[in-house]
Amino acid sequence: MQLYYHPLYSDLILAERHRFPIQKYKLLKTEIENLGVSAIHFQEPKKVTVSQLALCHSQRYIDDFLNGTLGDKAIKKMGFPYSQQLVERTLLSIGGSIQAAEAAFSHDLTFNLSGGYHHSHSDFGSGFCIFNDLAIAAAHLINTEQADTVLIFDCDVHQGDGTAQITQNHNQIITCSIHCEQNFPRNKQESTYDFALPAKTADDEYLATLKQALDFCVRIHNPDIILYNAGVDIYTKDELGLFNISLNGVYERDLFVLNFCKQHKIPLMCALGGGYQRNLSSLINVHKQLFKAAIDL
C-alpha cells in the first residue's frame, strides 16, 4: 500500500470550538505508524495545478479562492476562515488525492490521509469542502487516458452532492452515494446511483446495502479504478451522523470494500472523508478501522 500525507493537513488555525477536527490527520498518521506501517509507505504530495482544478471547477471560483477575493457569504458557506495557510493546505490535499489515484494503478491500494471533499460544487465550496478532490482525480485520470471509467464510491454519511453536480454530464465518471436520507445537505443532487438510508440504520441493513451497491456498480460499469470516500461519520457516536453503525460495522464496511477490489483486481484509492467527534482519540480509532482492514487483507 502507499499513503499520501503532508504535515500541512493538520496545520490550520481554527477557533477553539470550531466543528472541524483539524488535528485528526497528524494523530491518525501516528496511529497508523503504531500499527506497523513503516515510513517507506508514506509519500509527500505535490500541489494540485490550476489546470487540474479547472477540470471540475469554474475559473472564476478558482481565481477567487487563490487570490483571496471570495465574498463573505462564500467563505461562510465553505466553513473555514480564509487564510494563505488554508490555500496551501487545500492545494496539497487535492494533490494528494490525484497522486494517490494515479499510484493505485501500480500499488493496487493507496490512501490519501485527507480528502473526500464531496460537498464542493463546480463554483462554490460547502461543508468544509473547497475543491472536490475525488471528482478532480477522476477527471484527471480520464483526461490523461489512464482510465476510461472511474467509479466514485461514496460511503460518507452525507450525500456527495457536489460530486453528483460536477459529474452530471461526465458519462465516464460513475457516482454512487450511500448516505443518510435525513442528513445534510438538505437539497440532494442526483448521483448516478443514490442509496438513501433512514436515520438509525444499523449494521445489518447498512452492510447489505453496501455489498449490493458495490457489486451492482462494478458489474454494470466495469470501472478501471474505484475512488472510495471512507467517511466514518456513519459511526453511531458521530456527532454529525444519524446512523447506528458500530465500530465493528465500520471495520466490516472497509474490509469488504478493500477485499472486493482485491478479489476483482480493481485498483482502489481511499480518501478519509468525514468524522466528527470532540473526543479526538475516539475519532481516530474509528478512522483507524480502514487501515486495520488494509493490514488484515
Side-chain angles (χ1 to χ4, degrees):
M1 72 174 103
Q2 195 164 68
L3 306 95
Y4 285 79
Y5 171 81
H6 196 285
L8 278 183
Y9 286 3
S10 277
D11 191 14
L12 195 58
I13 297 168
L14 299 175
E16 187 179 344
R17 297 295 293 170
H18 195 281
R19 181 65 270 183
F20 194 83
I22 195 68
Q23 296 301 314
K24 74 178 184 180
Y25 304 104
K26 70 176 183 181
L27 296 173
L28 179 61
K29 179 177 184 282
T30 299
E31 284 299 306
I32 294 168
E33 290 169 335
N34 290 341
L35 288 173
V37 178
S38 66
I40 61 167
H41 293 286
F42 288 90
Q43 304 292 320
E44 198 165 281
K46 301 184 183 74
K47 293 179 190 175
V48 61
T49 66
V50 171
S51 61
Q52 287 171 331
L53 292 174
L55 293 170
C56 292
H57 295 282
S58 73
Q59 194 62 52
R60 179 174 180 179
Y61 173 51
I62 295 167
D63 290 343
D64 280 345
F65 178 73
L66 296 181
N67 298 330
T69 51
L70 285 172
D72 290 344
K73 263 189 176 177
I75 293 172
K76 185 176 181 181
K77 191 173 182 68
M78 197 169 67
F80 290 124
Y82 185 84
S83 65
Q84 191 56 40
Q85 187 184 35
L86 178 66
V87 173
E88 294 296 304
R89 178 193 180 273
T90 298
L91 298 180
L92 284 165
S93 294
I94 307 301
S97 287
I98 295 171
Q99 288 159 255
E102 289 186 313
F105 288 106
S106 53
H107 289 83
D108 299 330
L109 176 61
T110 60
F111 304 85
N112 183 19
L113 298 193
S114 181
Y117 300 129
H118 61 168
H119 297 310
S120 170
H121 287 58
S122 56
D123 56 354
F124 65 89
S126 174
F128 311 130
C129 303
I130 297 165
F131 295 122
N132 197 308
D133 60 308
L134 296 187
I136 294 167
H140 170 75
L141 293 177
I142 290 163
N143 189 54
T144 54
E145 299 183 347
Q146 296 178 70
D148 290 322
T149 305
V150 179
L151 170 62
I152 299 177
F153 194 62
D154 191 336
C155 293
D156 192 281
V157 80
H158 307 103
Q159 194 215 24
D161 58 328
T163 309
Q165 180 266 324
I166 286 171
T167 62
Q168 61 190 343
N169 296 317
H170 207 311
N171 295 332
Q172 291 168 275
I173 302 175
I174 310 305
T175 56
C176 179
S177 180
I178 304 173
H179 56 268
C180 179
E181 191 170 14
Q182 290 87 354
N183 213 321
F184 178 89
R186 181 182 300 170
N187 298 318
K188 307 291 193 286
Q189 298 288 325
E190 192 172 330
S191 309
T192 314
Y193 304 104
D194 284 297
F195 294 86
L197 296 171
K200 302 189 186 305
T201 292
D203 291 14
D204 289 350
E205 183 184 359
Y206 182 85
L207 292 170
T209 302
L210 171 93
K211 292 171 183 179
Q212 291 168 8
L214 184 56
D215 181 69
F216 175 82
C217 288
V218 169
R219 278 193 295 110
I220 298 298
H221 298 285
N222 191 27
D224 299 304
I225 185 172
I226 295 175
L227 309 182
Y228 174 40
N229 183 345
V232 301
D233 38 17
I234 65 166
Y235 180 50
T236 186
K237 293 182 181 177
D238 194 272
E239 291 151 24
L240 297 184
L242 298 173
F243 282 164
N244 289 343
I245 310 299
S246 70
L247 188 65
N248 187 63
V250 176
Y251 171 82
E252 291 293 337
R253 176 198 69 173
D254 292 340
L255 184 63
F256 177 80
V257 174
L258 270 58
N259 193 50
F260 183 95
C261 291
K262 182 179 180 181
Q263 296 294 326
H264 290 79
K265 296 182 168 54
I266 303 170
L268 176 66
M269 175 266 170
C270 309
L272 282 193
Y276 305 92
Q277 293 182 65
R278 296 285 185 195
N279 183 330
L280 278 177
S281 63
S282 176
L283 174 59
I284 298 310
N285 192 41
V286 192
H287 275 299
K288 193 167 70 173
Q289 302 309 306
L290 175 64
F291 303 94
K292 288 175 72 174
I295 290 167
D296 291 344
L297 269 184

